[in-house]
Amino acid sequence: MWGGRFAGSLAPFFEQFQKSLPQDHVLAFADLRTNRAWSQALAKVGVFTAAELAAVHRAIDDLDAEWRRTGIPASDPAEDVHSLVERELVARCGELGKRIHTGRSRNDQVATDLRLYLRERISTLATGITRLCSELVVQADRHHDAPIPGYTHLQRAQPITIGHWALAHCEALGRDRDRLLAAGQRMDVCPLGSGALAGTVLGVDRDALALDLGFAGGPSHNSLDATAQRDHLCELAFVCAMVQTHLSRLAEDTIFFATQEARFLSFGDEVSTGSSLMPQKRNPDAMELVRGKCSRSHGALLALLGSLKGLPLAYNRDLQTDKETLFPTLAETEACLSVAALAIQHATFDTRHCAAEAERGYLNATDLADLLVAAGVPFRDAHGIVGQAVNRAVELGVELQELPAAEQQRLLPQLRVDLRQALAAHTVLARRAVVGGTAPDRVRTEVTRWQQRLAAWNGTHR
Ligand code: ARG
């Protein structure tokens, strides 16, 4: 491909070392598409006659059909996917194949292939997010009014509904999906025609090329930038890192919920494993693996950023490493989304136990203070009074709503209410009907909103 100036050949070990086909062969179909559009553009400026163009396109179509049948030869001796495709085209249409690299560089070619390929991967990732959110919304719908203890500092704080918890994870993933699609939009410009670094010759119509390849943002506007920058890959790596971080928090929540200490949910056999030694064990390995793999996505983001730091414009071979960093993290994020969706699908909440636990541990102390406030006590004083009431209840080994009448009379003389009624979890929940609150009615509304959102997502990205 570039042997003219060289008398000898690459040292065998370096020859292997510098290959990118093991990573970039997945770009093959994108590369064929790029070749199709480029040869068309070349025909318009007289490099191919109409008949020659038809022959080139036939060769491209043949190769496309062959590889769809046989798979892409990832272990071919070719250096990278672009040289593999060129060699195969020359084998199929000879002289014409040798003309196809006119005015083009692998630098604008790989930049174009990547954007075409990542378009598909963005769509797959978006679908993965939609699937997981759908499972969470199923749980939220089922348990929109089911009480469960809510935590801060991993200490029991206030009751919430299981539905509210599930939708909280949806909100985070929804933002990730927005980020993903925004990154997709930003990268929707066509680098082809940028040449190696300075732009191409021959008066190639780059607007037509961009249109042909389906780039909504038209052609890129600076050939140095188009061939040398990879910030769009960093953005995708960030989205993966953020998705994985959110999955890891979802995993941690559910792993805790599945402990014998919490017993809020159990995972089905589909996503649980046993111990080779301890016959009684039932481990939440699916979510543990999701939690564990998260840090690798952080590593990928740092590796990509690091590979760009201090890199002079324009193309440097360092950029070839972008694929071996980004592609595995895309694949792992897709896999983790699928496993998390499976785990949520096969998670069964013990709603009786969750509800009983939501009545224990003084989760309603804030509401008792609110009752005092309603009776005219300033909040700061109410806070102190309830703190003492909690101390007394702890001494007696009861909950606030179980304080004997005499104790209520002594500690909370301002209150003439039935504490059992006023401090029951369902009362506490219903009081939080504010927008964004955990009240069952509010969660019901949010479930509906999410169902509509998912329907829209399913319409746009399948
Ligand atoms: N395999 C290379 C990459 O992915 C192709 C780019 C061109 N190579 C070059 N020596 N200019 O970055």
Side-chain angles (χ1 to χ4, degrees), residues 125-145:
L125 264 180
T127 304
I129 293 174
T130 306
R131 291 223 179 96
L132 172 55
C133 286
S134 304
E135 295 300 341
L136 285 163
V137 170
V138 167
Q139 294 283 8
D141 189 22
R142 193 178 290 153
H143 302 304
H144 72 280
D145 58 354

mmCIF file with all atom_site columns, all heavy atoms in Angstrom, residues 125-145:
data_model
loop_
_atom_site.group_PDB
_atom_site.id
_atom_site.type_symbol
_atom_site.label_atom_id
_atom_site.label_alt_id
_atom_site.label_comp_id
_atom_site.label_asym_id
_atom_site.label_entity_id
_atom_site.label_seq_id
_atom_site.pdbx_PDB_ins_code
_atom_site.Cartn_x
_atom_site.Cartn_y
_atom_site.Cartn_z
_atom_site.occupancy
_atom_site.B_iso_or_equiv
_atom_site.pdbx_formal_charge
_atom_site.auth_seq_id
_atom_site.auth_comp_id
_atom_site.auth_asym_id
_atom_site.auth_atom_id
_atom_site.pdbx_PDB_model_num
ATOM 1   N N   . LEU A 1 125 ? -27.103 1.128  22.115 1.00 0.00 ? 125 LEU A N   1
ATOM 2   C CA  . LEU A 1 125 ? -27.018 1.556  23.512 1.00 0.00 ? 125 LEU A CA  1
ATOM 3   C C   . LEU A 1 125 ? -28.329 2.185  23.968 1.00 0.00 ? 125 LEU A C   1
ATOM 4   O O   . LEU A 1 125 ? -28.806 1.915  25.077 1.00 0.00 ? 125 LEU A O   1
ATOM 5   C CB  . LEU A 1 125 ? -25.902 2.585  23.679 1.00 0.00 ? 125 LEU A CB  1
ATOM 6   C CG  . LEU A 1 125 ? -24.544 2.103  24.151 1.00 0.00 ? 125 LEU A CG  1
ATOM 7   C CD1 . LEU A 1 125 ? -23.596 3.293  24.253 1.00 0.00 ? 125 LEU A CD1 1
ATOM 8   C CD2 . LEU A 1 125 ? -24.643 1.411  25.510 1.00 0.00 ? 125 LEU A CD2 1
ATOM 9   N N   . ALA A 1 126 ? -28.897 3.033  23.100 1.00 0.00 ? 126 ALA A N   1
ATOM 10  C CA  . ALA A 1 126 ? -30.165 3.693  23.453 1.00 0.00 ? 126 ALA A CA  1
ATOM 11  C C   . ALA A 1 126 ? -31.243 2.639  23.698 1.00 0.00 ? 126 ALA A C   1
ATOM 12  O O   . ALA A 1 126 ? -32.035 2.749  24.638 1.00 0.00 ? 126 ALA A O   1
ATOM 13  C CB  . ALA A 1 126 ? -30.578 4.661  22.351 1.00 0.00 ? 126 ALA A CB  1
ATOM 14  N N   . THR A 1 127 ? -31.253 1.603  22.872 1.00 0.00 ? 127 THR A N   1
ATOM 15  C CA  . THR A 1 127 ? -32.229 0.532  23.050 1.00 0.00 ? 127 THR A CA  1
ATOM 16  C C   . THR A 1 127 ? -31.996 -0.196 24.381 1.00 0.00 ? 127 THR A C   1
ATOM 17  O O   . THR A 1 127 ? -32.947 -0.554 25.074 1.00 0.00 ? 127 THR A O   1
ATOM 18  C CB  . THR A 1 127 ? -32.129 -0.472 21.880 1.00 0.00 ? 127 THR A CB  1
ATOM 19  O OG1 . THR A 1 127 ? -32.296 0.248  20.667 1.00 0.00 ? 127 THR A OG1 1
ATOM 20  C CG2 . THR A 1 127 ? -33.194 -1.536 21.971 1.00 0.00 ? 127 THR A CG2 1
ATOM 21  N N   . GLY A 1 128 ? -30.731 -0.390 24.721 1.00 0.00 ? 128 GLY A N   1
ATOM 22  C CA  . GLY A 1 128 ? -30.401 -1.039 26.003 1.00 0.00 ? 128 GLY A CA  1
ATOM 23  C C   . GLY A 1 128 ? -30.920 -0.236 27.185 1.00 0.00 ? 128 GLY A C   1
ATOM 24  O O   . GLY A 1 128 ? -31.465 -0.799 28.146 1.00 0.00 ? 128 GLY A O   1
ATOM 25  N N   . ILE A 1 129 ? -30.770 1.073  27.099 1.00 0.00 ? 129 ILE A N   1
ATOM 26  C CA  . ILE A 1 129 ? -31.275 1.936  28.174 1.00 0.00 ? 129 ILE A CA  1
ATOM 27  C C   . ILE A 1 129 ? -32.796 1.849  28.238 1.00 0.00 ? 129 ILE A C   1
ATOM 28  O O   . ILE A 1 129 ? -33.387 1.716  29.312 1.00 0.00 ? 129 ILE A O   1
ATOM 29  C CB  . ILE A 1 129 ? -30.809 3.397  27.951 1.00 0.00 ? 129 ILE A CB  1
ATOM 30  C CG1 . ILE A 1 129 ? -29.287 3.498  28.116 1.00 0.00 ? 129 ILE A CG1 1
ATOM 31  C CG2 . ILE A 1 129 ? -31.519 4.335  28.922 1.00 0.00 ? 129 ILE A CG2 1
ATOM 32  C CD1 . ILE A 1 129 ? -28.696 4.871  27.789 1.00 0.00 ? 129 ILE A CD1 1
ATOM 33  N N   . THR A 1 130 ? -33.427 1.867  27.064 1.00 0.00 ? 130 THR A N   1
ATOM 34  C CA  . THR A 1 130 ? -34.897 1.776  27.021 1.00 0.00 ? 130 THR A CA  1
ATOM 35  C C   . THR A 1 130 ? -35.382 0.478  27.666 1.00 0.00 ? 130 THR A C   1
ATOM 36  O O   . THR A 1 130 ? -36.334 0.476  28.453 1.00 0.00 ? 130 THR A O   1
ATOM 37  C CB  . THR A 1 130 ? -35.400 1.835  25.554 1.00 0.00 ? 130 THR A CB  1
ATOM 38  O OG1 . THR A 1 130 ? -34.870 3.006  24.942 1.00 0.00 ? 130 THR A OG1 1
ATOM 39  C CG2 . THR A 1 130 ? -36.911 1.867  25.494 1.00 0.00 ? 130 THR A CG2 1
ATOM 40  N N   . ARG A 1 131 ? -34.696 -0.635 27.356 1.00 0.00 ? 131 ARG A N   1
ATOM 41  C CA  . ARG A 1 131 ? -35.119 -1.936 27.901 1.00 0.00 ? 131 ARG A CA  1
ATOM 42  C C   . ARG A 1 131 ? -35.026 -1.947 29.426 1.00 0.00 ? 131 ARG A C   1
ATOM 43  O O   . ARG A 1 131 ? -35.933 -2.422 30.111 1.00 0.00 ? 131 ARG A O   1
ATOM 44  C CB  . ARG A 1 131 ? -34.242 -3.048 27.337 1.00 0.00 ? 131 ARG A CB  1
ATOM 45  C CG  . ARG A 1 131 ? -34.480 -3.279 25.864 1.00 0.00 ? 131 ARG A CG  1
ATOM 46  C CD  . ARG A 1 131 ? -34.553 -4.785 25.527 1.00 0.00 ? 131 ARG A CD  1
ATOM 47  N NE  . ARG A 1 131 ? -34.809 -4.920 24.101 1.00 0.00 ? 131 ARG A NE  1
ATOM 48  C CZ  . ARG A 1 131 ? -33.841 -5.110 23.193 1.00 0.00 ? 131 ARG A CZ  1
ATOM 49  N NH1 . ARG A 1 131 ? -32.585 -5.255 23.592 1.00 0.00 ? 131 ARG A NH1 1
ATOM 50  N NH2 . ARG A 1 131 ? -34.130 -5.197 21.917 1.00 0.00 ? 131 ARG A NH2 1
ATOM 51  N N   . LEU A 1 132 ? -33.911 -1.436 29.950 1.00 0.00 ? 132 LEU A N   1
ATOM 52  C CA  . LEU A 1 132 ? -33.752 -1.437 31.407 1.00 0.00 ? 132 LEU A CA  1
ATOM 53  C C   . LEU A 1 132 ? -34.805 -0.540 32.057 1.00 0.00 ? 132 LEU A C   1
ATOM 54  O O   . LEU A 1 132 ? -35.448 -0.934 33.037 1.00 0.00 ? 132 LEU A O   1
ATOM 55  C CB  . LEU A 1 132 ? -32.335 -0.981 31.788 1.00 0.00 ? 132 LEU A CB  1
ATOM 56  C CG  . LEU A 1 132 ? -32.103 -0.767 33.294 1.00 0.00 ? 132 LEU A CG  1
ATOM 57  C CD1 . LEU A 1 132 ? -32.463 -2.013 34.110 1.00 0.00 ? 132 LEU A CD1 1
ATOM 58  C CD2 . LEU A 1 132 ? -30.657 -0.368 33.559 1.00 0.00 ? 132 LEU A CD2 1
ATOM 59  N N   . CYS A 1 133 ? -35.009 0.647  31.485 1.00 0.00 ? 133 CYS A N   1
ATOM 60  C CA  . CYS A 1 133 ? -36.020 1.543  32.050 1.00 0.00 ? 133 CYS A CA  1
ATOM 61  C C   . CYS A 1 133 ? -37.406 0.889  32.000 1.00 0.00 ? 133 CYS A C   1
ATOM 62  O O   . CYS A 1 133 ? -38.200 1.042  32.924 1.00 0.00 ? 133 CYS A O   1
ATOM 63  C CB  . CYS A 1 133 ? -36.034 2.892  31.322 1.00 0.00 ? 133 CYS A CB  1
ATOM 64  S SG  . CYS A 1 133 ? -34.617 3.922  31.735 1.00 0.00 ? 133 CYS A SG  1
ATOM 65  N N   . SER A 1 134 ? -37.671 0.143  30.936 1.00 0.00 ? 134 SER A N   1
ATOM 66  C CA  . SER A 1 134 ? -38.975 -0.531 30.835 1.00 0.00 ? 134 SER A CA  1
ATOM 67  C C   . SER A 1 134 ? -39.170 -1.498 32.001 1.00 0.00 ? 134 SER A C   1
ATOM 68  O O   . SER A 1 134 ? -40.258 -1.562 32.586 1.00 0.00 ? 134 SER A O   1
ATOM 69  C CB  . SER A 1 134 ? -39.095 -1.306 29.529 1.00 0.00 ? 134 SER A CB  1
ATOM 70  O OG  . SER A 1 134 ? -38.887 -0.449 28.440 1.00 0.00 ? 134 SER A OG  1
ATOM 71  N N   . GLU A 1 135 ? -38.121 -2.245 32.343 1.00 0.00 ? 135 GLU A N   1
ATOM 72  C CA  . GLU A 1 135 ? -38.233 -3.189 33.476 1.00 0.00 ? 135 GLU A CA  1
ATOM 73  C C   . GLU A 1 135 ? -38.429 -2.438 34.790 1.00 0.00 ? 135 GLU A C   1
ATOM 74  O O   . GLU A 1 135 ? -39.211 -2.855 35.647 1.00 0.00 ? 135 GLU A O   1
ATOM 75  C CB  . GLU A 1 135 ? -36.993 -4.087 33.565 1.00 0.00 ? 135 GLU A CB  1
ATOM 76  C CG  . GLU A 1 135 ? -36.792 -5.030 32.382 1.00 0.00 ? 135 GLU A CG  1
ATOM 77  C CD  . GLU A 1 135 ? -37.945 -6.006 32.177 1.00 0.00 ? 135 GLU A CD  1
ATOM 78  O OE1 . GLU A 1 135 ? -38.739 -6.235 33.120 1.00 0.00 ? 135 GLU A OE1 1
ATOM 79  O OE2 . GLU A 1 135 ? -38.063 -6.541 31.045 1.00 0.00 ? 135 GLU A OE2 1
ATOM 80  N N   . LEU A 1 136 ? -37.725 -1.325 34.936 1.00 0.00 ? 136 LEU A N   1
ATOM 81  C CA  . LEU A 1 136 ? -37.871 -0.528 36.160 1.00 0.00 ? 136 LEU A CA  1
ATOM 82  C C   . LEU A 1 136 ? -39.282 0.049  36.249 1.00 0.00 ? 136 LEU A C   1
ATOM 83  O O   . LEU A 1 136 ? -39.881 0.093  37.334 1.00 0.00 ? 136 LEU A O   1
ATOM 84  C CB  . LEU A 1 136 ? -36.824 0.592  36.193 1.00 0.00 ? 136 LEU A CB  1
ATOM 85  C CG  . LEU A 1 136 ? -35.389 0.146  36.520 1.00 0.00 ? 136 LEU A CG  1
ATOM 86  C CD1 . LEU A 1 136 ? -34.388 1.229  36.128 1.00 0.00 ? 136 LEU A CD1 1
ATOM 87  C CD2 . LEU A 1 136 ? -35.240 -0.199 38.006 1.00 0.00 ? 136 LEU A CD2 1
ATOM 88  N N   . VAL A 1 137 ? -39.819 0.466  35.095 1.00 0.00 ? 137 VAL A N   1
ATOM 89  C CA  . VAL A 1 137 ? -41.164 1.041  35.097 1.00 0.00 ? 137 VAL A CA  1
ATOM 90  C C   . VAL A 1 137 ? -42.218 -0.035 35.398 1.00 0.00 ? 137 VAL A C   1
ATOM 91  O O   . VAL A 1 137 ? -43.213 0.232  36.073 1.00 0.00 ? 137 VAL A O   1
ATOM 92  C CB  . VAL A 1 137 ? -41.447 1.786  33.763 1.00 0.00 ? 137 VAL A CB  1
ATOM 93  C CG1 . VAL A 1 137 ? -42.916 2.172  33.639 1.00 0.00 ? 137 VAL A CG1 1
ATOM 94  C CG2 . VAL A 1 137 ? -40.569 3.030  33.657 1.00 0.00 ? 137 VAL A CG2 1
ATOM 95  N N   . VAL A 1 138 ? -41.969 -1.269 34.950 1.00 0.00 ? 138 VAL A N   1
ATOM 96  C CA  . VAL A 1 138 ? -42.875 -2.375 35.304 1.00 0.00 ? 138 VAL A CA  1
ATOM 97  C C   . VAL A 1 138 ? -42.914 -2.535 36.829 1.00 0.00 ? 138 VAL A C   1
ATOM 98  O O   . VAL A 1 138 ? -43.993 -2.647 37.433 1.00 0.00 ? 138 VAL A O   1
ATOM 99  C CB  . VAL A 1 138 ? -42.427 -3.704 34.635 1.00 0.00 ? 138 VAL A CB  1
ATOM 100 C CG1 . VAL A 1 138 ? -43.153 -4.899 35.246 1.00 0.00 ? 138 VAL A CG1 1
ATOM 101 C CG2 . VAL A 1 138 ? -42.669 -3.640 33.128 1.00 0.00 ? 138 VAL A CG2 1
ATOM 102 N N   . GLN A 1 139 ? -41.746 -2.511 37.456 1.00 0.00 ? 139 GLN A N   1
ATOM 103 C CA  . GLN A 1 139 ? -41.694 -2.620 38.927 1.00 0.00 ? 139 GLN A CA  1
ATOM 104 C C   . GLN A 1 139 ? -42.379 -1.410 39.568 1.00 0.00 ? 139 GLN A C   1
ATOM 105 O O   . GLN A 1 139 ? -43.112 -1.548 40.557 1.00 0.00 ? 139 GLN A O   1
ATOM 106 C CB  . GLN A 1 139 ? -40.234 -2.701 39.411 1.00 0.00 ? 139 GLN A CB  1
ATOM 107 C CG  . GLN A 1 139 ? -39.476 -3.963 38.990 1.00 0.00 ? 139 GLN A CG  1
ATOM 108 C CD  . GLN A 1 139 ? -39.836 -5.198 39.816 1.00 0.00 ? 139 GLN A CD  1
ATOM 109 O OE1 . GLN A 1 139 ? -40.773 -5.183 40.627 1.00 0.00 ? 139 GLN A OE1 1
ATOM 110 N NE2 . GLN A 1 139 ? -39.097 -6.282 39.602 1.00 0.00 ? 139 GLN A NE2 1
ATOM 111 N N   . ALA A 1 140 ? -42.137 -0.233 39.008 1.00 0.00 ? 140 ALA A N   1
ATOM 112 C CA  . ALA A 1 140 ? -42.719 0.994  39.578 1.00 0.00 ? 140 ALA A CA  1
ATOM 113 C C   . ALA A 1 140 ? -44.242 0.961  39.479 1.00 0.00 ? 140 ALA A C   1
ATOM 114 O O   . ALA A 1 140 ? -44.952 1.378  40.401 1.00 0.00 ? 140 ALA A O   1
ATOM 115 C CB  . ALA A 1 140 ? -42.161 2.216  38.860 1.00 0.00 ? 140 ALA A CB  1
ATOM 116 N N   . ASP A 1 141 ? -44.730 0.447  38.364 1.00 0.00 ? 141 ASP A N   1
ATOM 117 C CA  . ASP A 1 141 ? -46.170 0.351  38.139 1.00 0.00 ? 141 ASP A CA  1
ATOM 118 C C   . ASP A 1 141 ? -46.782 -0.616 39.161 1.00 0.00 ? 141 ASP A C   1
ATOM 119 O O   . ASP A 1 141 ? -47.751 -0.301 39.850 1.00 0.00 ? 141 ASP A O   1
ATOM 120 C CB  . ASP A 1 141 ? -46.375 -0.160 36.703 1.00 0.00 ? 141 ASP A CB  1
ATOM 121 C CG  . ASP A 1 141 ? -47.828 -0.097 36.273 1.00 0.00 ? 141 ASP A CG  1
ATOM 122 O OD1 . ASP A 1 141 ? -48.583 0.687  36.867 1.00 0.00 ? 141 ASP A OD1 1
ATOM 123 O OD2 . ASP A 1 141 ? -48.196 -0.835 35.337 1.00 0.00 ? 141 ASP A OD2 1
ATOM 124 N N   . ARG A 1 142 ? -46.150 -1.778 39.281 1.00 0.00 ? 142 ARG A N   1
ATOM 125 C CA  . ARG A 1 142 ? -46.613 -2.827 40.201 1.00 0.00 ? 142 ARG A CA  1
ATOM 126 C C   . ARG A 1 142 ? -46.595 -2.321 41.643 1.00 0.00 ? 142 ARG A C   1
ATOM 127 O O   . ARG A 1 142 ? -47.479 -2.625 42.428 1.00 0.00 ? 142 ARG A O   1
ATOM 128 C CB  . ARG A 1 142 ? -45.660 -4.013 40.034 1.00 0.00 ? 142 ARG A CB  1
ATOM 129 C CG  . ARG A 1 142 ? -46.100 -5.316 40.632 1.00 0.00 ? 142 ARG A CG  1
ATOM 130 C CD  . ARG A 1 142 ? -45.061 -6.405 40.328 1.00 0.00 ? 142 ARG A CD  1
ATOM 131 N NE  . ARG A 1 142 ? -45.009 -6.801 38.926 1.00 0.00 ? 142 ARG A NE  1
ATOM 132 C CZ  . ARG A 1 142 ? -43.912 -7.294 38.321 1.00 0.00 ? 142 ARG A CZ  1
ATOM 133 N NH1 . ARG A 1 142 ? -42.772 -7.439 39.005 1.00 0.00 ? 142 ARG A NH1 1
ATOM 134 N NH2 . ARG A 1 142 ? -43.957 -7.643 37.066 1.00 0.00 ? 142 ARG A NH2 1
ATOM 135 N N   . HIS A 1 143 ? -45.577 -1.553 42.007 1.00 0.00 ? 143 HIS A N   1
ATOM 136 C CA  . HIS A 1 143 ? -45.369 -1.175 43.414 1.00 0.00 ? 143 HIS A CA  1
ATOM 137 C C   . HIS A 1 143 ? -45.413 0.333  43.630 1.00 0.00 ? 143 HIS A C   1
ATOM 138 O O   . HIS A 1 143 ? -44.695 0.859  44.456 1.00 0.00 ? 143 HIS A O   1
ATOM 139 C CB  . HIS A 1 143 ? -44.002 -1.705 43.875 1.00 0.00 ? 143 HIS A CB  1
ATOM 140 C CG  . HIS A 1 143 ? -43.838 -3.187 43.733 1.00 0.00 ? 143 HIS A CG  1
ATOM 141 N ND1 . HIS A 1 143 ? -44.708 -4.096 44.301 1.00 0.00 ? 143 HIS A ND1 1
ATOM 142 C CD2 . HIS A 1 143 ? -42.902 -3.925 43.084 1.00 0.00 ? 143 HIS A CD2 1
ATOM 143 C CE1 . HIS A 1 143 ? -44.315 -5.332 44.004 1.00 0.00 ? 143 HIS A CE1 1
ATOM 144 N NE2 . HIS A 1 143 ? -43.227 -5.260 43.261 1.00 0.00 ? 143 HIS A NE2 1
ATOM 145 N N   . HIS A 1 144 ? -46.297 1.008  42.883 1.00 0.00 ? 144 HIS A N   1
ATOM 146 C CA  . HIS A 1 144 ? -46.299 2.474  42.991 1.00 0.00 ? 144 HIS A CA  1
ATOM 147 C C   . HIS A 1 144 ? -46.681 2.935  44.390 1.00 0.00 ? 144 HIS A C   1
ATOM 148 O O   . HIS A 1 144 ? -46.312 4.021  44.812 1.00 0.00 ? 144 HIS A O   1
ATOM 149 C CB  . HIS A 1 144 ? -47.236 3.090  41.949 1.00 0.00 ? 144 HIS A CB  1
ATOM 150 C CG  . HIS A 1 144 ? -48.687 2.876  42.258 1.00 0.00 ? 144 HIS A CG  1
ATOM 151 N ND1 . HIS A 1 144 ? -49.348 1.706  41.985 1.00 0.00 ? 144 HIS A ND1 1
ATOM 152 C CD2 . HIS A 1 144 ? -49.585 3.703  42.860 1.00 0.00 ? 144 HIS A CD2 1
ATOM 153 C CE1 . HIS A 1 144 ? -50.605 1.810  42.391 1.00 0.00 ? 144 HIS A CE1 1
ATOM 154 N NE2 . HIS A 1 144 ? -50.775 3.000  42.921 1.00 0.00 ? 144 HIS A NE2 1
ATOM 155 N N   . ASP A 1 145 ? -47.442 2.079  45.123 1.00 0.00 ? 145 ASP A N   1
ATOM 156 C CA  . ASP A 1 145 ? -47.892 2.493  46.456 1.00 0.00 ? 145 ASP A CA  1
ATOM 157 C C   . ASP A 1 145 ? -47.281 1.646  47.583 1.00 0.00 ? 145 ASP A C   1
ATOM 158 O O   . ASP A 1 145 ? -47.713 1.727  48.721 1.00 0.00 ? 145 ASP A O   1
ATOM 159 C CB  . ASP A 1 145 ? -49.419 2.432  46.529 1.00 0.00 ? 145 ASP A CB  1
ATOM 160 C CG  . ASP A 1 145 ? -49.959 1.032  46.221 1.00 0.00 ? 145 ASP A CG  1
ATOM 161 O OD1 . ASP A 1 145 ? -49.149 0.152  45.835 1.00 0.00 ? 145 ASP A OD1 1
ATOM 162 O OD2 . ASP A 1 145 ? -51.174 0.824  46.362 1.00 0.00 ? 145 ASP A OD2 1
#
